[in-house]
Amino acid sequence: MTNAANAIAGLETADGTPLKAALARALRRKRMRAVLLVMPLFIFVFLTFLYPIGLMLFRSIDNPLVSEHMPRTVAALKDWTADDLPGEAAFAALTQDLEDARKSGAAGRLATNLNYQTGGLRSTITRTARQAGKLEAPFKEKLIEISPAWGNIETWATIKLLSDRFSMVQYAAALDRKYDIHQNVVPLPEDQQIYVTLFMRTLWMSIVVTVSCLLLGFPIAYMLASLPLKHSNLLMILVLLPFWTSLLVRTTSWIVLLQTQGVLNDLMVFFHIINDAGRVQLIFNATGTVIAMTQILLPFMVLPLYSVMKTISPTYMRAAQSLGAHRFLAYGRVYLPQTLPGIGAGCLLVFILAIGYYITPALVGGQDGQMISNMIAFHMQKSLNWGLAAALGGILLVGVIILYWVYNKIVGVERLKLG
Amino acid sequence: MSLSTISLPDHAGPSEIIWHYIYIVICTLVFMFLIAPLFVVIPLSFNAEPYFTFTKEMISLKPEAFSLRWYQDFLSKEIWQVSIRNSFVIAFGSTILATFLGTLAALGLSRPEMPYRAAFMGILISPMIVPLIITAAGIFFFYASLNDYVQMTGSYFGIIIAHTVLGTPFVVITVTATLFGFDQSLVRAGAMLGADPTTVFFKIIMPLILPGVISGALFAFVTSFDEVVVVLFVASVDQQTIPRQMWAGIREQISPTILAVATILICVSIMLLATVELLRRRSERLRGISPG
């Protein structure tokens, strides 16, 4: 071995460079070429995907409005301990800031921003900003007269809380928590808790979908793997066709099938399984979401299961049975353990895709079939509380990234199959 | 395609026979669960009445119970015309970009010298894994921040770019799959026989990966053609697409016109799937893997 290494070390190429260096250079050049091929897409993905997601995450901790538009108040509240109302200086600073904010047109956004944190502050801010220019010192009584909220320690604590440009306020809100006046994180009153329940429901529904996919996918994957290729290819088309069909088409189909006046209920009435008054609500609720999502994600379970089962030799089963194992015992102890890599890959993939599902729950979920993505969409498009949407998205993203990392570790992303 | 081709051994006892038939029934039900929803829509799209269920007349196959009125409606409404055109423009644009970028990257990723391959692959595939709503929100913020320089929200260009990034993982996956087990000595053989790298690429590599490139392109096309979340976030009313129009239709009130559209889309996906299957078999044959 060392002799060979020494021999190479002694060799030289035609132009006199040592062979070792020449080889290393050639390898480096090959490596460069491979990287250069990947770079265009990498840069593209970085610019149009990774950077935008970073931008969203930044928004979840970024809170510029108060520090930007209320600098005097922020300074006046710097040493305030929230034990008592702040002094006249803070009221004067506030009046000045709000007058400036009105002039620069930021008062409305400021009001909305503070209102997300403490309900009712919107009108307080807009009303005060409107009158701030006409006020004269001393301000304290006059401000409290305009809105009694200024006599509340909580109002001032809210301003102080939001005066830090970067904070975890949105994440606290996304986990049903808030900062009290002394800036401790406390749980919200129970009737205001929404998001943790929603996260739990999202997890629960994803688990139900994953398990349903496994239970339905396992037998057909087994059938596909044990049939001769000529037949299994035809059946495989039945698995792949939904995969290629528009998500919206499939969701529409489920609405048509499962509506109370839909095909399935009609059939059940026709066969007297239920009477006309007892039609079952199968869609626009959690049941509908789970049924539709199971069908939509089933191919993602069947494909990895199939590719693992295809490699399992039937001789193991025959051996187990000829050694006296009952058919079921042989399945449980010999066949099943060999399919575990496929089960793991399929379950992880289905779970990852299920947990972030948006379109199907939005269309067939009704009230109780909504998932966390739908709440993100609501805050993005309706309530326009983008900071909170970003924080909810951040939490979801962390979950997905962890799962994806696990998937990559145990399955390997290069083994993803699309038919 | 009879399911009885799964043969039972001759020595099967009665309990085994029973289990065998139960198993076949279960599998048939699961296949029906997969396919039935699609095929229920097709006859209903010919319903003469604006209902979403089979009328008595339809079941007794009276000709007057069937009509093409929803197809007429689909073809005569201007909003659908615009949507079809927009969907095709956006899908074609993003498919070309995604196929080009994805194929290049796949070529690099399948070279044995590629450093940090798993990490790169993980990042390049991630647009397929990250929930669409997060991607859409991120792109919305990104485009909004660019609007002072270039108008990205409410522009075709913006949607094409966003759809490209969603489509590239499919191209990367399908092309790396065709390159898997690619015999690098073919390249060296070509070079040794005097071909320059360009010739080697077009004469040796390209024919071998072409099936993968085409199926990747089809995947990218379908991804864009079916995408609605990003469109909802960054498009203006001018970029009405077929999925967006369907989305609106389902949310407001389903008109049977949507069933007609759905039927057409199902036919399109059958054709696409057939193309991809043929390509896959061709690719396996070319690479010497047993024909399906």
Side-chain angles (χ1 to χ4, degrees):
Chain A
M1 197 56 217
T2 20
N3 281 346
N6 285 339
I8 288 181
L11 285 176
E12 285 181 351
T13 54
D15 58 355
T17 37
L19 183 59
K20 207 175 164 190
L23 281 173
R25 204 175 55 216
L27 185 67
R28 239 189 347 262
R29 208 180 300 136
K30 275 184 163 181
R31 212 179 269 165
M32 268 316 284
R33 242 180 252 153
V35 172
L36 276 180
L37 284 170
V38 176
M39 265 312 133
L41 180 58
F42 183 77
I43 293 169
F44 183 77
V45 168
F46 183 85
L47 282 179
T48 59
F49 180 73
L50 298 180
Y51 174 69
I53 287 178
L55 216 55
M56 185 204 77
L57 291 178
F58 179 71
R59 215 169 248 274
S60 69
I61 55 163
D62 183 28
N63 197 15
L65 279 173
V66 171
S67 54
E68 204 174 297
H69 295 292
M70 300 177 82
R72 299 184 196 88
T73 319
V74 170
L77 288 178
K78 198 157 181 282
D79 297 318
W80 179 62
T81 50
D83 296 319
D84 211 347
L85 274 183
E88 173 65 21
F91 281 88
L94 179 80
T95 316
Q96 271 277 307
D97 280 338
L98 286 183
E99 166 66 4
D100 287 358
R102 186 187 61 82
K103 278 187 202 146
S104 66
R109 277 182 293 144
L110 207 51
T112 311
N113 193 253
L114 288 163
N115 193 62
Y116 287 139
Q117 198 57 35
T118 305
L121 277 189
R122 190 196 310 271
S123 60
T124 300
I125 301 280
T126 43
R127 206 177 328 138
T128 316
R130 220 180 302 127
Q131 303 183 23
K134 293 172 247 154
L135 294 181
E136 275 170 36
F139 296 102
K140 189 167 179 173
E141 281 72 35
K142 286 173 190 148
L143 281 178
I144 295 176
E145 203 173 294
I146 292 172
S147 167
W150 296 120
N152 252 336
I153 293 182
E154 211 188 320
T155 309
W156 292 95
T158 305
I159 295 176
K160 189 173 164 68
L161 174 67
L162 295 178
S163 61
D164 287 328
R165 170 134 198 217
F166 300 108
S167 69
M168 299 301 275
V169 173
Q170 303 292 2
Y171 281 96
L175 293 169
D176 289 336
R177 259 136 250 269
K178 66 166 192 178
Y179 287 83
D180 66 3
I181 54 169
H182 295 291
Q183 314 240 348
N184 301 313
V185 181
V186 291
L188 280 174
E190 226 157 87
D191 57 320
Q192 290 173 32
Q193 298 190 0
I194 321 168
Y195 302 116
V196 173
T197 327
L198 194 57
F199 271 114
M200 286 302 157
R201 188 205 287 163
T202 306
L203 279 182
W204 171 240
M205 281 171 64
S206 307
I207 291 172
V208 173
V209 167
T210 310
V211 172
S212 320
C213 279
L214 180 62
L215 291 180
L216 297 182
F218 198 90
I220 60 170
Y222 179 67
M223 177 176 270
L224 288 169
S226 50
L227 279 173
L229 260 186
K230 203 169 65 183
H231 300 286
S232 72
N233 265 337
L234 280 169
L235 283 180
M236 192 51 121
I237 288 178
L238 297 186
V239 177
L240 292 177
L241 182 58
F243 199 55
W244 279 90
T245 311
S246 160
L247 197 66
L248 288 157
V249 169
R250 282 185 280 169
T251 310
T252 314
S253 325
W254 279 113
I255 296 176
V256 168
L257 262 177
L258 299 180
Q259 280 189 103
T260 38
Q261 299 300 322
V263 176
L264 196 68
N265 266 308
D266 276 359
L267 273 178
M268 288 201 288
V269 171
F270 182 77
F271 287 110
H272 298 291
I273 301 168
I274 51 173
N275 60 27
D276 202 36
R279 284 171 179 266
V280 196
Q281 180 74 36
L282 289 167
I283 202 139
F284 305 124
N285 55 21
T287 321
T289 312
V290 168
I291 294 177
M293 279 176 66
T294 303
Q295 189 243 2
I296 290 165
L297 294 173
L298 193 50
F300 291 98
M301 180 68 83
V302 175
L303 293 177
L305 272 177
Y306 167 77
S307 62
V308 168
M309 285 175 176
K310 202 77 205 150
T311 64
I312 300 174
S313 159
T315 50
Y316 295 123
M317 280 293 285
R318 267 182 243 142
Q321 278 176 299
S322 71
L323 287 168
H326 185 266
R327 201 180 164 91
F328 292 122
L329 187 71
Y331 269 114
R333 299 276 292 274
V334 177
Y335 193 78
L336 201 62
Q338 296 187 76
T339 60
L340 280 180
I343 294 180
C347 285
L348 265 173
L349 190 59
V350 169
F351 190 78
I352 292 175
L353 295 174
I355 203 167
Y357 240 63
Y358 168 64
I359 295 172
T360 309
L363 291 177
V364 305
Q367 276 289 321
D368 62 344
Q370 299 292 310
M371 297 172 78
I372 199 69
S373 290
N374 304 93
M375 190 50 93
I376 298 174
F378 169 78
H379 284 307
M380 285 294 298
Q381 296 179 305
K382 295 272 157 59
S383 83
L384 302 183
N385 191 350
W386 290 347
L388 183 57
L392 290 167
I395 297 171
L396 175 63
L397 186 66
V398 168
V400 169
I401 288 176
I402 292 173
L403 288 166
Y404 182 45
W405 183 80
V406 173
Y407 180 86
N408 214 347
K409 272 275 161 229
I410 57 179
V411 187
V413 60
E414 68 277 0
R415 304 228 346 234
L416 257 177
K417 287 233 173 61
L418 300 170
Chain B
M1 160 188 60
S2 71
L3 295 178
S4 56
T5 31
I6 314 176
S7 50
L8 270 173
D10 296 334
H11 54 78
S15 80
E16 268 179 68
I17 294 176
I18 292 172
W19 275 112
H20 180 73
Y21 282 108
I22 291 178
Y23 170 67
I24 286 181
V25 169
I26 291 173
C27 285
T28 316
L29 287 176
V30 177
F31 279 120
M32 274 176 63
F33 174 71
L34 269 171
I35 290 296
L38 299 183
F39 286 102
V40 164
V41 169
I42 297 175
L44 282 178
S45 68
F46 297 102
N47 199 340
E49 305 292 327
Y51 300 137
F52 294 98
T53 189
F54 295 96
T55 52
K56 284 204 178 66
E57 292 77 24
M58 284 183 96
I59 295 168
S60 47
L61 292 178
K62 288 194 180 135
E64 65 268 23
F66 296 89
S67 84
L68 291 171
R69 61 186 278 206
W70 309 115
Y71 289 87
Q72 269 167 358
D73 190 47
F74 168 62
L75 291 173
S76 61
K77 284 237 171 75
E78 206 205 322
I79 185 79
W80 282 108
Q81 307 270 327
V82 174
S83 305
I84 296 171
R85 209 203 56 215
N86 284 343
S87 277
F88 272 103
V89 168
I90 292 167
F92 271 121
S94 58
T95 303
I96 291 168
L97 263 174
T99 311
F100 176 70
L101 291 169
T103 307
L104 274 191
L107 284 170
L109 285 170
S110 9
R111 293 200 173 185
E113 303 88 14
M114 180 68 202
Y116 306 111
R117 184 193 296 138
F120 272 111
M121 190 89 177
I123 290 171
L124 297 182
I125 301 296
S126 60
M128 199 176 109
I129 298 290
V130 169
L132 257 180
I133 193 80
I134 293 180
T135 314
I139 288 178
F140 171 75
F141 290 135
F142 177 50
Y143 283 3
S145 74
L146 286 182
N147 271 350
D148 294 340
Y149 315 100
V150 227
Q151 185 62 35
M152 289 298 275
T153 56
S155 76
Y156 287 96
F157 181 67
I159 301 173
I160 289 175
I161 293 293
H163 280 185
T164 304
V165 80
L166 293 175
T168 49
F170 296 99
V171 182
V172 171
I173 289 175
T174 52
V175 180
T176 34
T178 36
L179 281 165
F180 178 74
F182 175 75
D183 192 352
Q184 292 287 336
S185 57
L186 289 177
V187 175
R188 259 171 279 151
M192 233 152 72
L193 292 167
D196 58 277
T198 337
T199 317
V200 168
F201 178 77
F202 282 109
K203 291 270 177 193
I204 300 175
I205 303 178
M206 199 59 186
L208 280 169
I209 64 167
L210 196 60
V213 174
I214 296 176
S215 38
L218 289 177
F219 266 113
F221 186 86
V222 172
T223 307
S224 164
F225 206 68
D226 190 28
E227 206 289 323
V228 67
V229 186
V230 171
V231 173
L232 285 173
F233 271 69
V234 303
S236 69
V237 278
D238 291 335
Q239 288 94 36
Q240 201 61 254
T241 63
I242 298 175
R244 190 182 184 185
Q245 193 55 28
M246 286 189 77
W247 167 273
I250 298 171
R251 292 211 110 177
E252 283 142 29
Q253 37 108 352
I254 306 191
S255 130
T257 310
I258 288 190
L259 301 188
V261 182
T263 305
I264 295 171
L265 290 180
I266 290 171
C267 295
V268 172
S269 40
I270 292 175
M271 288 190 295
L272 288 175
L273 173 64
T275 318
V276 171
E277 276 300 295
L278 289 175
L279 285 170
R280 190 177 58 85
R281 289 189 199 177
R282 185 185 141 80
S283 150
E284 287 180 355
R285 206 171 52 238
L286 275 179
R287 292 185 301 144
I289 299 171
S290 64

